[in-house]
């Protein structure tokens, strides 16, 4: 690759071109029509530069050019091509570049959609693009290894890269991040329309123009979150699909707001209500996307999450741009917000718009509480001397009232819309069925009232949605009833997989069958060559199946990579995750002792008295470990000849075994001894520790997300059918 | 009518949130020193490096290990659950839970592993 086409040059060049584009876009916005043409041409030039730099990074990855620090850090030669491509967004510099590309393409889309608010949207887009370019200049994906690492000679090309973290080598790595970034990137459009609405003092543009974008952004974010959940369940071995981690919350919070906004805009379209709220939500949605990025990439939460949020030195950039957006949005809303016309919600509490309006309020309230929880380390750091995070209990407990209210308003508003009476026969019959089925579903498994409430309510929602779908013209209600039904199915799945589950951690001695819950499991040993796995067999009702759980050392993180194995059954998943493997041979032959420490290995009692050195000034110094084995002195040694260690083993008196020094830790005064096995050695069997949990009806969680997604796509398809634009 | 209803609704919602939060235990996890964790016996969060000279022990489905604070204090941790990924290579370990004076150990509710950043070596 010729060095003239340097990625840094492309990015640095895109910055002044974007600034010039912003200048003309600003003039165009102020009414100078001729400036719009220049602005467009400059924008296309930035597109070319950004696309070129993306192509360059992808080329470097595919070519495996390890002189590039990003390539060196994220891939290695043995990585399949699919993941080499995915490495584009595996590191944080590459993911910012992808995000920038998507924002830029959104701008192209807007130009070609012949939008009369282009003059306001484009400056907003360009400012964000400049923000991203500044970040990429500060922390470029085109750094060379000798710029990144102090001890590397210029021009040096490493033989191989560090590779991708094993946890990321998963098909979901290919789709989950880009889909999320698509959701993040498109959030800028509703923001731009809200600014347009404030400038024009007319909110109808949200209904006419912003709605498809909000819907699109909500769908991307939602699907991205769902995919993240499948991935976490399948690979990460956290035992669940959701952990209320800041990384997860920083997508969940804007997603909840986007759901509120979609409903708000529907209400605005049908009743002319919530116009001001929708503008505020559009502004807040975009800001929350950036706030989430700030939280997860600035290092402020580094002590409070499982994820390692190293401080990449970007916090000042992220914080200042976040402040910029907040100030712009707040000032414009404060000045012009009141001048926007909006109708009041109906006085009657039981009207559709009032109930749906309260639903929007609940969604926003939930987002606010999760936001407060996620930000707690920052908030508490300001007011207390010790910063404090909130725990999972906070989120789980707080989800109870919000979840119930959401379900209530979900079903209440659609019932009121279709004129169903609470005392009607269908409603009473459905309620009775839900109650009976909900109780029957929970009774054998839990006495906690929470799953009862949620299951009964959700079943009622499912029945009412199904009833509506069956009796009404499907095209009008399809999207709303499907998403609501999916949400209710998801809730039932959350209840069953959460409240009806049990788990146990067991030690398995090789080839010895253990009873686990209602079935039997046997550890068969470690199998495989490089990517080893623990082999178990599971016997249930006479059916025996083999189970292999990956368990091998991951070079990148220098730790054991372990992945669970999941047996899918109709009523439950059996989730088996490997935890540890103990080699019998190692147990019978090696032991680690600290100075003056005693230990037993087989029938030998070993006492390590300490190290002694000999011939230290000669060419062949020796380190001797003074031992007492069964009370008799033995002194194996390490001789150092020309810098390499030669082990001198010693027979153990009174046995047919010998002992040698396998390793020493002089600093901690510890020794690892290796004993030969001897003729009559008894080698203990290998053993493994595994956690096994039963997750009841967890497929309902997946089904729920699929039904929600189907509903969302139906909503999106409907927008395109109804509006030719 | 409208704004009054909304205000009532919001007030009820806020009081439900406040009520739930004041009734729930273990919702906050302040970072404290080992000494404070022993003194307070409340739900707290501690951080330290694992003392690798003492092996992880297992019994009855829980595992136990020792961590060292920056000041060199040590604390035995027990956790009824799974050893997290990357445990062996953890840079530091964050532990949420309560000190159990009867057993003289810190009973962990969650064990979070902090891994060294892959960018740590960059200048």
């Amino acid at each position: 690759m010729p060095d003239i086409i340097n990625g840094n040059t492309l990015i640095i060049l895109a910055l002044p071109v974007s600034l010039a584009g912003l200048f003309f876009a600003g003039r165009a916005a102020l009414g100078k029509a001729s400036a719009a043409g220049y602005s467009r041409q400059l924008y296309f030039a930035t597109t070319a530069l950004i696309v070129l730099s993306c192509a360059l990074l992808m080329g470097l990855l595919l070519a495996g050019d390890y002189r590039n620090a990003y390539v060196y850090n994220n891939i290695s030669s043995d990585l399949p091509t699919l993941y080499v491509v995915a490495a584009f967004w595996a590191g944080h510099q590459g993911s910012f570049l992808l995000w920038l590309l998507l924002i830029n393409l959104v701008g192209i889309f807007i130009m070609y959609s012949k939008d009369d608010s282009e003059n306001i949207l484009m400056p907003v887009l360009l400012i964000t693009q400049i923000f991203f370019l500044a970040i990429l200049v500060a922390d470029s994906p085109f750094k060379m290894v000798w710029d990144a690492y102090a001890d590397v000679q210029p021009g040096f090309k490493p033989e191989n890269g560090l590779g991708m973290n094993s946890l990321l080598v998963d098909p979901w790595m290919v789709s989950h991040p880009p889909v999320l970034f698509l959701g993040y990137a498109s959030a800028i459009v509703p923001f731009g329309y809200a600014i347009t609405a404030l400038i024009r003092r007319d909110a109808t543009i949200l209904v006419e123009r912003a709605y498809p974008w909000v819907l699109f952004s909500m769908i991307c974010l939602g699907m991205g979150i769902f995919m993240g959940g499948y991935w976490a369940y399948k690979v990460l071995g956290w035992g669940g699909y959701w952990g209320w981690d800041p990384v997860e919350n920083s997508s969940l919070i804007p997603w909840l707001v986007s759901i509120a906004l979609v409903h708000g805009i529907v209400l605005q379209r049908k009743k002319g209500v919530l116009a001001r709220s929708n503008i505020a939500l559009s502004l807040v949605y975009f800001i929350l996307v950036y706030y989430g990025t700030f939280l997860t990439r600035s290092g402020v939460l580094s002590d409070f999450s499982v994820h390692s949020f190293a401080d990449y030195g970007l916090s000042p950039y992220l914080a200042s741009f976040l402040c910029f957006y907040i100030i712009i949005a707040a000032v414009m809303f404060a000045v012009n917000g009141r001048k926007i016309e909006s109708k009041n919600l109906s006085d009657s509490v039981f009207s559709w718009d009032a109930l749906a309006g309260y639903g929007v309020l609940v969604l926003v309230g939930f987002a606010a509480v999760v936001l407060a929880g996620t930000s707690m380390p920052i908030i508490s750091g300001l007011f207390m001397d010790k910063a404090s995070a909130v725990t999972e209990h906070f989120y789980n407990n707080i989800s109870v009232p919000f979840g119930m209210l959401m379900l209530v308003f979900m079903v209440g508003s659609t019932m009121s819309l279709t004129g169903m009476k609470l005392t009607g026969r269908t409603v009473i019959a459905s309620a009775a069925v839900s109650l009976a089925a909900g109780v029957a579903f929970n009774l054998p498994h839990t006495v906690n009232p929470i799953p009862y409430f949620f299951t009964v309510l959700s079943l009622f929602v499912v029945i009412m949605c199904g009833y509506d779908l069956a009796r009404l013209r499907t095209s009008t209600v399809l999207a709303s009833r499907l998403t609501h039904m999916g949400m209710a199915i998801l809730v039932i799945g959350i209840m069953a997989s959460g409240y009806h589950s049990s788990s146990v951690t067991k030690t398995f001695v090789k080839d010895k069958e253990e009873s686990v819950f209602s079935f039997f499991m046997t550890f068969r040993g470690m199998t495989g060559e490089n990517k080893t796995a623990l082999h178990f067999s599971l016997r249930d009702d006479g059916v025996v199946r083999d189970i292999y759980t990956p368990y091998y050392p991951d070079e990148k993180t220098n730790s054991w990579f372990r992945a669970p194995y999941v047996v899918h059954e109709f009523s439950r998943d059996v989730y088996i995750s490997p935890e540890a493997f103990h080699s019998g041979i190692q147990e019978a032959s090696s032991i680690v002792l600290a100075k003056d420490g005693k230990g037993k290995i087989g029938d030998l009692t070993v006492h390590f008295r300490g190290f002694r050195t000999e011939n230290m000034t000669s060419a062949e110094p020796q380190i001797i470990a003074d031992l007492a084995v069964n009370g008799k002195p033995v002194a194996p040694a390490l001789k150092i000849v020309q810098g390499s260690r030669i082990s001198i083993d010693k027979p153990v008196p009174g046995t047919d075994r010998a002992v040698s020094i396998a390793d020493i830790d002089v600093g901690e005064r510890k020794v690892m001894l290796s004993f030969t096995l001897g003729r009559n050695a008894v080698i203990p069997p290998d053993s493994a520790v595994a956690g096994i949990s039963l997750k009841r009806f967890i497929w309902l969680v997946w089904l729920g997300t699929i039904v929600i997604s189907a509903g969302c796509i139906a909503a999106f398809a409907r927008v395109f059918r109804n509006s030719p634009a | 009518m409208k704004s009054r209803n909304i205000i009532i609704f919001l007030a009820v919602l806020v009081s439900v949130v406040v009520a739930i939060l004041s009734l729930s235990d273990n919702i906050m996890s302040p970072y404290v020193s080992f000494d404070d964790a022993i003194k307070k016996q409340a739900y707290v969060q501690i951080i330290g490096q694992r003392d690798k000279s003492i092996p992880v022990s297992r019994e009855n489905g829980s595992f136990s290990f020792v961590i060292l604070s920056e000041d060199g204090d040590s604390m035995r941790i027990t956790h009824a659950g799974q050893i997290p990924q990357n445990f062996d290579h953890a840079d530091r370990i964050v532990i949420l839970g309560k000190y159990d004076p009867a057993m003289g150990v810190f009973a962990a509710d969650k064990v979070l592993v902090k891994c060294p950043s892959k960018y740590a070596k960059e200048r």
Side-chain angles (χ1 to χ4, degrees), chain A residues 398-462:
Chain A
I398 219 65
S399 302
V400 173
F402 282 103
M404 292 216 190
L405 284 171
M406 271 180 230
L407 289 168
V408 166
F409 288 121
M410 216 184 257
V411 70
S413 60
T414 55
M415 279 169 68
S416 133
L417 187 63
T418 54
M420 304 222 19
K421 295 255 167 11
L422 280 174
T423 49
R425 271 170 62 193
T426 328
V427 176
I428 289 176
S430 313
V433 169
S434 313
L435 188 65
V439 170
F441 185 69
N442 284 293
L443 204 53
H445 302 280
T446 178
V447 288
N448 188 323
I450 291 171
Y452 285 84
F453 281 122
F454 272 106
T455 322
V456 170
L457 208 50
S458 301
L459 283 169
F460 185 66
V461 173
V462 171

Side-chain angles (χ1 to χ4, degrees), chain A residues 311-327:
Chain A
D311 186 349
Y312 302 119
L314 297 175
S315 2
Y317 293 86
L318 291 164
S320 52
F321 279 98
L322 190 61
C323 287
F324 172 80
Y325 287 127
I326 292 173
I327 291 167

Side-chain angles (χ1 to χ4, degrees), chain A residues 427-634:
Chain A
V427 176
I428 289 176
S430 313
V433 169
S434 313
L435 188 65
V439 170
F441 185 69
N442 284 293
L443 204 53
H445 302 280
T446 178
V447 288
N448 188 323
I450 291 171
Y452 285 84
F453 281 122
F454 272 106
T455 322
V456 170
L457 208 50
S458 301
L459 283 169
F460 185 66
V461 173
V462 171
I463 295 173
M464 294 315 289
C465 288
Y467 181 68
D468 277 0
L469 285 173
R471 81 191 158 113
L472 300 170
R473 269 181 42 239
T474 50
S475 67
T476 51
V477 298
L478 184 65
S480 90
R481 299 312 188 273
L482 267 184
T483 46
H484 289 182
M485 191 190 253
M487 214 33 115
I489 295 171
L490 172 64
V491 170
I492 300 172
I494 292 172
M495 292 301 135
S497 65
Y499 288 92
H500 302 172
S501 290
S502 32
S503 59
V504 66
T505 307
K506 253 190 151 52
T507 302
F508 295 87
V509 173
K510 193 179 170 197
D511 295 326
K512 185 165 176 277
E513 192 171 70
E514 299 276 348
S515 109
V516 186
F517 299 112
S518 59
F519 48 88
F520 299 92
M521 256 177 84
T522 315
F523 173 53
R524 297 289 180 199
M526 194 176 232
T527 59
E529 297 252 315
N530 291 325
K531 298 205 164 175
T532 46
L534 303 185
H535 176 195
F536 295 92
S537 60
L538 192 153
R539 186 165 67 84
D540 190 9
D541 275 345
V543 182
V544 178
R545 74 168 89 212
D546 287 308
I547 285 165
Y548 297 90
T549 61
Y551 187 94
Y552 55 85
D554 175 42
E555 282 169 23
K556 171 133 189 176
T557 55
N558 188 22
S559 64
W560 289 92
F561 174 76
R562 305 175 308 199
Y565 184 94
V566 188
V567 182
H568 303 285
E569 292 172 4
F570 172 71
S571 68
R572 66 184 188 191
D573 271 10
V574 181
Y575 192 96
I576 297 161
S577 80
E579 195 173 285
F581 170 74
H582 300 290
S583 151
I585 278 246
Q586 201 166 354
E587 208 175 301
S589 63
S590 83
I591 186 169
V592 177
L593 289 172
K595 184 172 156 48
D596 290 325
K598 279 186 184 171
K600 270 190 87 74
I601 183 155
D603 51 357
L604 304 177
T605 311
V606 189
H607 179 192
F608 172 46
R609 296 178 190 279
F611 290 119
R612 170 161 64 88
T613 52
E614 256 177 29
N615 307 333
M616 285 313 277
T617 49
S618 77
E620 296 184 358
Q622 274 192 39
I623 299 168
I624 298 158
D626 276 323
L627 310 174
V629 181
N630 286 349
K632 293 179 182 115
V634 188

Side-chain angles (χ1 to χ4, degrees), chain A residues 624-663:
Chain A
I624 298 158
D626 276 323
L627 310 174
V629 181
N630 286 349
K632 293 179 182 115
V634 188
L638 275 184
K639 193 190 255 184
I640 294 157
V641 180
Q642 291 170 347
S644 56
R645 294 168 170 185
I646 294 172
S647 177
I648 301 170
D649 52 350
K650 290 284 160 73
V652 179
T655 67
D656 59 345
R657 303 180 71 168
V659 60
S660 60
I661 299 177
D663 203 359

Side-chain angles (χ1 to χ4, degrees), chain A residues 48-315:
Chain A
L49 289 167
I50 292 166
V51 168
L52 208 56
S53 57
C54 287
L56 186 65
L57 183 61
M58 190 58 91
L60 290 169
L61 282 166
L62 288 171
D65 190 338
Y66 300 120
R67 287 175 302 171
N68 175 297
Y70 187 83
V71 177
Y72 172 71
N73 267 306
N74 288 289
I75 64 164
S76 56
S77 308
D78 57 340
L79 199 66
T81 312
L82 188 63
Y83 298 109
V84 172
V85 173
F88 193 100
W89 46 84
H92 79 112
Q93 299 100 332
S95 60
F96 269 128
L97 186 59
L98 174 70
W99 194 343
L100 170 65
L101 174 74
L102 293 173
I103 287 178
N104 190 280
L105 296 181
V106 162
I108 300 283
F109 219 91
I110 285 177
M111 280 189 208
Y112 278 97
S113 62
K114 299 206 169 56
D115 196 311
D116 62 353
S117 11
E118 185 189 318
N119 284 346
I120 299 166
L121 290 175
M122 291 319 285
V124 172
L125 272 166
L126 276 162
I127 290 169
T128 314
Q129 181 166 310
I130 291 165
F131 157 36
F132 274 87
L133 285 167
I135 285 182
L136 287 168
V137 168
D139 191 14
S140 167
F142 296 104
K143 232 187 216 176
M144 304 310 258
V145 278
W146 50 89
D147 292 326
Y149 300 97
D151 52 350
V152 176
Q153 291 298 313
F156 176 72
K157 184 176 179 181
E159 297 245 317
N160 203 345
L162 295 177
M164 190 180 268
N165 186 333
S166 296
L167 291 173
L168 300 184
V169 183
D170 187 276
W172 289 117
M173 180 64 203
V174 181
S175 53
H176 161 76
V179 170
L180 265 185
F181 283 121
L182 206 52
Y184 291 166
S186 48
I188 194 171
V189 185
F191 181 85
Y193 281 118
I195 297 283
T196 311
L198 285 170
I199 289 172
R200 296 189 185 159
R201 296 172 195 178
D202 178 9
T204 47
I205 195 164
L206 290 184
V207 173
E208 289 165 2
R209 287 285 182 172
Y211 182 67
W213 285 97
V214 177
L215 209 51
F216 176 75
S217 197
M218 175 193 84
I219 294 170
C220 290
L221 223 50
M223 287 191 177
I225 291 171
F226 295 159
M227 290 184 208
Y230 309 145
W231 189 4
Y233 180 75
K234 180 167 83 88
V235 175
L236 300 183
W238 297 348
Y241 42 80
W242 189 257
W244 297 109
D245 189 86
V247 166
E248 297 170 318
N249 290 351
S250 66
S251 298
L252 176 71
I253 298 162
W255 187 53
L256 288 168
V257 171
S258 69
I259 298 171
L261 185 53
V262 163
H263 288 84
I265 295 179
V266 170
L267 280 162
Q268 186 185 343
R269 182 176 71 217
K270 294 206 173 153
K271 298 272 179 174
V273 295
L274 295 181
R276 279 192 295 272
S277 317
N278 287 337
I279 290 179
L281 286 177
S282 304
L283 299 172
V284 166
Y285 175 44
F286 174 76
I287 289 168
L288 284 173
V289 165
Y290 284 81
Y291 180 70
T293 308
F294 168 71
L295 282 187
T296 52
R297 302 218 197 187
S298 67
V300 286
L301 296 183
S302 58
D303 283 345
F304 295 95
S305 165
V306 205
H307 292 80
S308 51
F309 301 124
D311 186 349
Y312 302 119
L314 297 175
S315 2

